[in-house]
Amino acid sequence: MVRKELSGIVIDDMKVADLPEILAIETVSFKTPWSETLFYNEIFKAISVSRVAKINGKVVGYLSANIIIDEGHILNIAVHPEYRGLGIASYMVKEMLEIMKESNCRSVFLEVRFSNEEARKMYEKFGFCLLGTRKNYYISPVEDAVVMVLRFMSEPT
């Protein structure tokens, strides 16, 4: 599934060939980055939906999520520092939420660092709200996670 809508940005399925660029973005984005094995597993795991954002064939961002029965969980998202502020993360989240809704998810969950106000504001724009916190969820540095949820409204019958 490939969609091209936002000024030259193409959203595509994550592939093994994308891993070197994904790992480079992951390493500059997080102090405790995911391993190549974790991304590899997400590519092939039946419940996983993983996408990359590309500009001119170059991976500039990615998003990994899982769909389990009627729940979605956004696991990991990042955009290359040189491409931040262009709406790429929002574009990927929007696409993923459409996929989750089409898959009959009732709720979507995610965790985000308490200090990551920019990400929290982006998620709130999509309708995510605070569900709770996970004490000391993150390491390097140790920090609480904000657990957010988006509940899809069911269609009247």
Side-chain angles (χ1 to χ4, degrees):
M1 167 178 171
V2 177
R3 292 186 186 172
K4 183 176 180 180
E5 295 175 19
L6 182 67
S7 185
I9 297 170
V10 176
I11 304 296
D12 200 1
D13 291 333
M14 186 182 287
K15 298 175 180 65
V16 172
D18 299 321
L19 288 178
E21 291 175 286
I22 291 166
L23 290 168
I25 296 168
E26 179 78 1
T27 301
V28 299
S29 299
F30 302 108
K31 292 183 181 182
T32 53
W34 276 20
S35 67
E36 182 174 7
T37 302
L38 282 173
F39 282 107
Y40 187 88
N41 288 342
E42 289 305 313
I43 291 170
F44 293 103
K45 190 166 56 172
I47 62 170
S48 179
V49 183
S50 294
R51 300 287 189 262
V52 291
K54 294 183 177 182
I55 297 177
N56 297 324
K58 176 184 177 181
V59 176
V60 297
Y62 56 85
L63 189 155
S64 288
N66 286 172
I67 297 174
I68 305 168
I69 307 172
D70 63 352
E71 289 184 2
H73 194 128
I74 295 176
L75 304 172
N76 194 347
I77 181 172
V79 174
H80 190 286
E82 293 176 14
Y83 294 88
R84 291 181 185 158
L86 301 176
I88 296 169
S90 291
Y91 187 55
M92 290 189 296
V93 170
K94 180 178 182 245
E95 166 118 352
M96 187 61 64
L97 293 177
E98 289 172 6
I99 291 167
M100 290 178 170
K101 199 167 190 177
E102 289 167 5
S103 298
N104 297 315
C105 287
R106 292 181 175 186
S107 304
V108 181
F109 298 89
L110 60 87
E111 292 87 16
V112 61
R113 280 186 181 272
F114 180 81
S115 63
N116 194 343
E117 290 183 37
E118 188 175 344
R120 288 175 30 207
K121 286 179 184 176
M122 177 190 68
Y123 294 127
E124 287 169 357
K125 286 180 185 176
F126 285 102
F128 281 87
C129 57
L130 175 69
L131 183 64
T133 58
R134 297 189 196 280
K135 188 86 173 140
N136 301 327
Y137 183 79
Y138 293 103
I139 57 173
S140 294
V142 173
E143 186 174 356
D144 294 350
V146 174
V147 182
M148 301 183 83
V149 63
L150 170 64
R151 300 198 193 281
F152 293 120
M153 301 302 251
S154 57
E155 299 293 322
T157 55

